[in-house]
Amino acid sequence: MYKGHDRAFVTDKVDEVEIDEIRQYRDTRWVTPTEALWRIYGTKKSMLTTYFEANNLHVKARGILYRDFPEYYTRQRRGKFWQERKRAALSQVGRIISAHPAEGERYYLRVLLNHVTGATSYEGLRTIDGQVMPTFREAAEKRGLIEADNTLDDAMTEAELFQVSSSLRRLFTTILVFCMPNDVHSLWNNHLKAMSEDYNINCKCKHTVEQMVLKNISDILHSMGKDIESFPLPKIDKQNGTTNDVPKEIIEETSIEVDPEDASLHKNLNNEQRKAYDKILATVDCQRGGLFFVDGPGGTGNTFLYRALLATIRGQGKIAVATATSGVAASIMPGGRTAHPRFKIPLRIDDGDICGFTKQTDLPFGGKTVVFGGDFRQVLPIVRKGTRAQIVDASLRRSELWNCMHQLKLVRNMRAPNDPWFTEYLLRVGNGTEETNDDGEILLPTSICVPNKADDNGLDRLIDSIYQPASLKDPKYITSRAILSTRNDCVDKINLKMIDRFQGEEMVYHSFDSVEDDPHNYYPPKFLNTLTPNGLPPHMLKLKINCPIILLRNIDPANGLCNGTRLLVRGFQKNAIDAEIVVGQHSGMRVFLPRIPLCPSDDDMFPFSFKRKQFSIRLSFAMTINKSQGQTIANVGIYLPEPVFSHGQLYVALSRATTTANIKVLTGTHDENKEKNKKISTSDTY
Ligand SMILES: Nc1ncnc2c1ncn2[C@@H]1O[C@H](COP(=O)(O)OP(=O)(O)OP(=O)(O)O)[C@@H](O)[C@H]1O
C-alpha cells in the first residue's frame, strides 16, 4: 500500500567536520520509489502542468484560477488531464499547498497561481505584457501582487508624470503622515525638484524655493494635525514676521476666506432659519455668550443656516470655529474640522484624560456662543457594542448642559420643497408616528417600490432604475445618484455588478495583507485576503477611469479629504491613483492617493493584529446608509434585502432624496402589495 512519500531529517553531531546544511538537506531527502520511477521515465505530468495544458486546450478554462479549477473541471487520473464538469461542483474545494515567504520562488509561484488565470506554462505565468520576467518574484512584483521595496518613491515618480507641484506636495505629505517611510531623506531629495516647479517660475534662489516648499508642506501637515518638526526634513528658517507669537490655530481660523455665495446666504433664510440666525447673532454681538441647539429634521437646512452664520461672523473679522464629530459632516462646512483634533479631545477617553483647553470662566464654554445642532431622528453616533440604552445615554440629550440650551426648531423641508406629501411622510417616519403593523413594520408607498418577483432579478431592476447604461459616461449623472443599503456585503455586491457594467480601461489593485508578530505564518496571506473588516477597503479593488469612489479615512478633512468624501477616478498608475473630489466645497480639486497601511478600527474583531496596505477607497455606486448621512443625493436607490437594523436608517435613506419620484426601494419581500420595512422606534431618544 502506498501512502504518499515523506521526508526524513538527520542530525549530524560531528563537531570538527564542516557542516554544509544545504547539501545535507539535499542528500537526506528521501525520494519514494514511485516518485523515482516517475522522474526516471519522464512522464512528468503534475497536477499543475496538466492545468497548464487544460488552459491551452479550453478557452473557458482560461478564466479560472488554479485553486478554483476543481469546481469546474475534474481530473482524470489515468490520462492525467482535466475534463470539464457537466455542472459546476461548488462543494469541491481546491487547495494549493502552503508556502512560507522564506521559501522564496516556491512562495511567489503560489502567489501568482492564486491571482493569475489562463497561464499555459511556467514561462507564461512569468509573462506580463509580452515580457518574460526571470523569476516568479519579479513577475509577482510587476503584477502588483507583492509589495516592492520602493513603492513610495515610485508613487511620487508616477505622480510626477501628470501632476502639478502643489498636488505632489500634498501627496508627499500624505506619505509622510500615513505611510511611515523609512528613508524620508531620499524621498525628499529625489522629488524636491518636481515639488518646487511652480515656485521656480518666479524665484531662482534655490534656498528660497526649498524654504517655500517646506513652508507649504508644514502648512499641510498642520492642517492634518501634525508638526513638521517631527519629520527628518530640512529646517525652516526662523522668520522675523509678526505672526510668531500668535497661536497657529488663530492664524488658521482667521485666514479662512468667506465665499461670496455664503456671504449672501442670510438673505435667503426662511422664517425659522431667520429667527434662529438672529437669536444666535444677538448673543455674539453683545458678547453675552449662549448655548443653542438647532433641531432640524433632515433637509430643513441646518447646514444652510450654519454656513450663513459662519460667513456673517467671519465677515465681521470674528472667529467662528466649525466642527463636527465626523469628517464628512465637517467637510460640508467652510473651514470645518473634526472636533477631536481641534479641541484636543482624546479619541479614547480614559480616567484622568483632560481636554487641552483651559477654563476661562465658570460659564459653560467660557461664556462663548456655542451652537449645537443635529437630528435625533437620524442614525446616532456609534457606541461600539453598545446597548440601545448606552447609545441613547451617549447622546447630547442626556448631557447636563442640555437644560441650559435654547432650543431652536427648523421645520420646513428645503431639500424637497415641491413634494409636501413626501416631507410629511418623512417626518412621520422620523418621528415614529407612521402607522405600523403588529411587527413594528411600516408600509412604503407603492410608487417608490421596485417589484420584487420571485425571478431573482429584483436587484438588476433596482440598478436599472437608478443607473441608465447610456448615461454612465457623464460624471454629473454618476455623482447625482447612489444606491444605499444597510450592510457592507450588500453594497459590495452592487458595486461589483456596476463596475462590470461600467465602460473603460480597468485596473485591479491587490492589497498587501499581514499580521503583526506571526513568524510561523499561521495566518497566510491567502486567508487574510479573504477578510474585509468594516471600514477597510477590499483585497481586490477593481477600478475604471471615471468610476465613482468614496474615501475611507480622514486624510486631510480641512482640505476635503475625509472619511466619506466622494471622488471620481481620473487616472491610475501602479502605486498612485489620481482622483477628483466631486461633492462639497472642495469639488473639482485633484488629489493623488497612495496605498496606506490600514488596521480595523475594532481591535477585538480578530485574535491577531491585522494590517492591510491598500488605497483607502471603495467604489461608491452603492454605499451604506450610515455613510450617506449628511449628503444630498438627488436620485436614491434603496436596497433592503432585510429590514433596517438600527435607529434612523430608513429615515436617513429616504431623506437623502429631493422628491418621491427620485426614490426607488427594493425590499426583501416578494409580495408586490406588501412592500414593507421594519421601523425601529425613535421614541427612545425623546
Ligand atoms: N433657505 C433656503 N433657501 C434655499 N435653499 C435652501 C434653504 N435652506 C436649505 N436649502 C437647501 O436645501 C437642501 C438641504 O439643506 P441642508 O443640507 O442645509 O439640510 P440639513 O438639515 O443639513 O440636511 P441633513 O441633516 O439631512 O443633512 C440643500 O440643497 C440646501 O441648499
Side-chain angles (χ1 to χ4, degrees):
M1 189 188 294
Y2 171 60
K3 287 188 173 181
H5 53 261
D6 206 339
R7 278 187 249 171
F9 292 85
V10 178
T11 311
D12 192 340
K13 291 205 168 165
V14 184
D15 287 339
E16 292 82 27
V17 181
E18 195 190 323
I19 297 172
D20 179 347
E21 282 183 10
I22 295 173
R23 197 166 165 196
Q24 273 180 3
Y25 185 86
R26 273 209 326 249
D27 289 350
T28 53
R29 185 169 171 207
W30 184 57
V31 176
T32 60
T34 33
E35 192 177 347
L37 274 175
W38 176 57
R39 287 174 176 219
I40 291 164
Y41 291 106
T43 51
K44 245 184 161 181
K45 275 197 177 179
S46 68
M47 201 183 287
L48 180 56
T49 51
T50 49
Y51 161 76
F52 289 148
E53 281 174 14
N55 277 335
N56 216 349
L57 292 172
H58 312 291
V59 178
K60 201 174 155 196
R62 289 175 211 157
I64 305 169
L65 280 176
Y66 181 48
R67 65 165 189 240
D68 300 331
F69 220 62
E71 279 178 33
Y72 306 93
Y73 285 77
T74 170
R75 193 151 178 259
Q76 302 297 316
R77 285 204 163 265
R78 286 219 184 123
K80 286 219 168 185
F81 65 90
W82 291 90
Q83 191 176 46
E84 193 179 347
R85 287 180 191 275
K86 291 202 177 71
R87 247 180 306 136
L90 298 180
S91 55
Q92 286 289 331
V93 179
R95 181 177 158 266
I96 308 179
I97 295 167
S98 71
H100 191 277
E103 290 177 66
E105 282 295 273
R106 190 163 174 265
Y107 172 77
Y108 299 114
L109 168 64
R110 192 173 186 278
V111 171
L112 284 168
L113 288 171
N114 273 326
H115 290 93
V116 180
T117 55
T120 52
S121 64
Y122 287 109
E123 194 180 90
L125 209 52
R126 284 188 276 116
T127 308
I128 299 130
D129 300 332
Q131 192 188 350
V132 185
M133 306 310 290
T135 59
F136 293 123
R137 193 191 69 79
E138 281 164 271
E141 190 180 309
K142 181 120 191 185
R143 283 184 184 274
L145 302 176
I146 55 164
E147 197 176 358
D149 296 336
N150 50 356
T151 46
L152 298 177
D153 198 78
D154 286 351
M156 287 293 291
T157 311
E158 288 168 6
E160 280 174 18
L161 290 177
F162 56 103
Q163 271 296 307
V164 283
S165 313
S166 58
S167 302
L168 271 180
R169 293 191 289 271
R170 192 163 288 285
L171 174 64
F172 180 81
T173 317
T174 309
I175 289 176
L176 280 189
V177 175
F178 290 96
C179 306
M180 292 151 271
N182 291 329
D183 192 358
V184 177
H185 194 67
S186 303
L187 205 62
W188 167 257
N189 285 334
N190 293 348
H191 303 283
L192 174 61
K193 188 160 168 274
M195 288 194 287
S196 29
E197 260 167 22
D198 51 346
Y199 295 142
N200 265 327
I201 298 169
N202 295 323
C203 176
K204 295 289 164 231
C205 169
K206 239 173 131 183
H207 177 75
T208 315
V209 168
E210 184 185 89
Q211 285 295 310
M212 286 159 99
V213 175
L214 282 169
K215 181 81 191 38
N216 184 241
I217 288 174
S218 166
D219 290 345
I220 305 171
L221 279 171
H222 195 254
S223 82
M224 291 174 159
K226 303 280 175 206
D227 191 342
I228 194 164
E229 295 285 325
S230 49
F231 298 95
L233 288 170
K235 293 274 167 275
I236 298 185
D237 296 343
K238 285 267 173 288
Q239 287 170 345
N240 300 323
T242 49
T243 54
N244 272 355
D245 302 333
V246 182
K248 278 182 192 163
E249 287 79 7
I250 297 204
I251 298 173
E252 233 172 65
E253 291 295 343
T254 46
S255 57
I256 297 170
E257 283 175 26
V258 178
D259 187 325
E261 196 192 315
D262 283 10
S264 59
L265 284 185
H266 67 96
K267 294 181 197 150
N268 299 330
L269 297 172
N270 65 28
N271 285 345
E272 300 81 33
Q273 289 170 332
R274 160 84 41 208
K275 243 164 126 183
Y277 174 87
D278 288 341
K279 269 196 178 167
I280 294 166
L281 278 190
T283 62
V284 177
D285 290 341
C286 66
Q287 301 188 354
R288 249 189 354 245
L291 281 189
F292 298 92
F293 182 81
V294 183
D295 175 18
T300 50
N302 279 306
T303 317
F304 194 91
L305 172 65
Y306 306 146
R307 281 172 53 206
L309 283 167
L310 290 168
T312 306
I313 296 169
R314 287 172 182 161
Q316 294 169 354
K318 296 176 182 151
I319 290 178
V321 185
T323 62
T325 43
S326 74
V328 72
S331 73
I332 53 181
M333 292 184 287
R337 307 288 164 104
T338 43
H340 286 82
R342 179 85 316 186
F343 297 128
K344 314 250 181 311
I345 308 168
L347 272 175
R348 285 170 190 236
I349 301 180
D350 297 319
D351 281 353
D353 276 342
I354 49 162
C355 165
F357 276 67
T358 45
K359 196 172 164 184
Q360 293 170 358
T361 70
D362 282 339
L363 291 169
F365 300 101
K368 300 276 181 284
T369 297
V370 180
V371 181
F372 292 89
D375 179 8
F376 294 118
R377 300 160 194 85
Q378 301 192 24
V379 177
L380 297 172
I382 290 169
V383 175
R384 201 169 286 156
K385 296 189 183 127
T387 59
R388 269 172 112 172
Q390 284 167 326
I391 294 170
V392 172
D393 226 28
S395 73
L396 190 63
R397 182 74 181 75
R398 296 294 165 97
S399 159
E400 56 190 48
L401 293 172
W402 180 255
N403 290 332
C404 317
M405 290 182 194
H406 299 275
Q407 302 291 318
L408 303 167
K409 286 200 188 306
L410 305 183
V411 288
R412 207 175 331 154
N413 189 321
M414 304 299 287
R415 186 174 282 138
N418 303 323
D419 196 344
W421 180 88
F422 178 53
T423 54
E424 274 169 32
Y425 175 76
L426 268 184
L427 262 186
R428 288 200 303 274
V429 172
N431 288 334
T433 53
E434 176 67 6
E435 221 176 290
T436 60
N437 66 12
D438 293 345
D439 297 329
E441 292 170 330
I442 60 166
L443 219 58
L444 295 169
T446 329
S447 65
I448 67 171
C449 294
V450 172
N452 190 5
K453 301 170 191 151
D455 61 3
D456 227 20
N457 293 331
L459 184 54
D460 288 326
R461 276 194 291 275
L462 175 71
I463 292 176
D464 290 342
S465 65
I466 299 297
Y467 292 106
Q468 305 288 323
S471 309
L472 288 179
K473 276 193 187 135
D474 179 2
K476 275 212 180 107
Y477 179 88
I478 287 282
T479 45
S480 66
R481 55 203 64 230
I483 297 178
L484 310 178
S485 192
T486 44
R487 292 203 328 260
N488 270 321
D489 52 347
C490 302
V491 164
D492 289 342
K493 185 163 86 175
I494 301 169
N495 278 329
L496 282 180
K497 272 180 182 268
M498 280 304 301
I499 197 70
D500 286 339
R501 292 180 183 199
F502 203 75
Q503 300 286 313
E505 192 191 333
E506 176 184 298
M507 180 72 128
V508 180
Y509 293 103
H510 293 96
S511 67
F512 309 125
D513 298 341
S514 58
V515 165
E516 270 170 36
D517 288 335
D518 181 27
H520 303 293
N521 206 27
Y522 291 138
Y523 304 103
K526 187 186 156 204
F527 160 67
L528 300 175
N529 295 165
T530 60
L531 307 173
T532 309
N534 238 345
L536 254 62
H539 163 62
M540 200 182 85
L541 188 64
K542 202 195 252 187
L543 300 179
K544 288 185 180 163
I545 297 285
N546 290 333
C547 73
I549 52 172
I550 192 163
L551 202 61
L552 300 175
R553 278 288 178 280
N554 283 327
I555 290 184
D556 185 4
N559 288 296
L561 285 178
C562 53
N563 190 343
T565 300
R566 291 169 75 192
L567 307 106
L568 283 189
V569 172
R570 293 302 194 185
F572 30 58
Q573 301 277 331
K574 223 171 110 189
N575 298 291
I577 292 171
D578 177 15
E580 180 182 337
I581 301 181
V582 281
V583 284
Q585 44 164 331
H586 296 278
S587 174
M589 192 169 104
R590 289 289 272 270
V591 286
F592 243 90
L593 303 169
R595 271 199 173 95
I596 59 178
L598 303 150
C599 297
S601 48
D602 183 357
D603 295 345
D604 305 333
M605 188 175 277
F606 302 121
F608 48 82
S609 311
F610 178 57
K611 193 165 85 179
R612 167 159 293 168
K613 206 162 181 197
Q614 179 61 294
F615 297 95
S616 59
I617 52 172
R618 269 171 187 267
L619 287 167
S620 70
F621 295 102
M623 63 177 108
T624 55
I625 294 174
N626 290 31
K627 272 256 148 50
S628 74
Q629 195 155 319
Q631 305 193 29
T632 299
I633 304 170
N635 295 271
V636 178
I638 305 175
Y639 177 49
L640 298 171
E642 290 151 20
V644 294
F645 61 81
S646 95
H647 166 93
Q649 279 184 328
L650 183 61
Y651 171 71
V652 169
L654 292 170
S655 64
R656 295 311 92 203
T658 46
T659 140
T660 2
N662 294 346
I663 303 180
K664 289 287 169 232
V665 187
L666 177 73
T667 62
T669 167
H670 286 166
D671 185 344
E672 272 178 60
N673 299 318
K674 286 190 182 164
E675 302 290 357
K676 51 193 187 176
N677 211 297
K678 195 153 206 142
K679 176 79 192 58
I680 294 180
S681 168
T682 48
S683 55
D684 303 340
T685 2
Y686 289 104

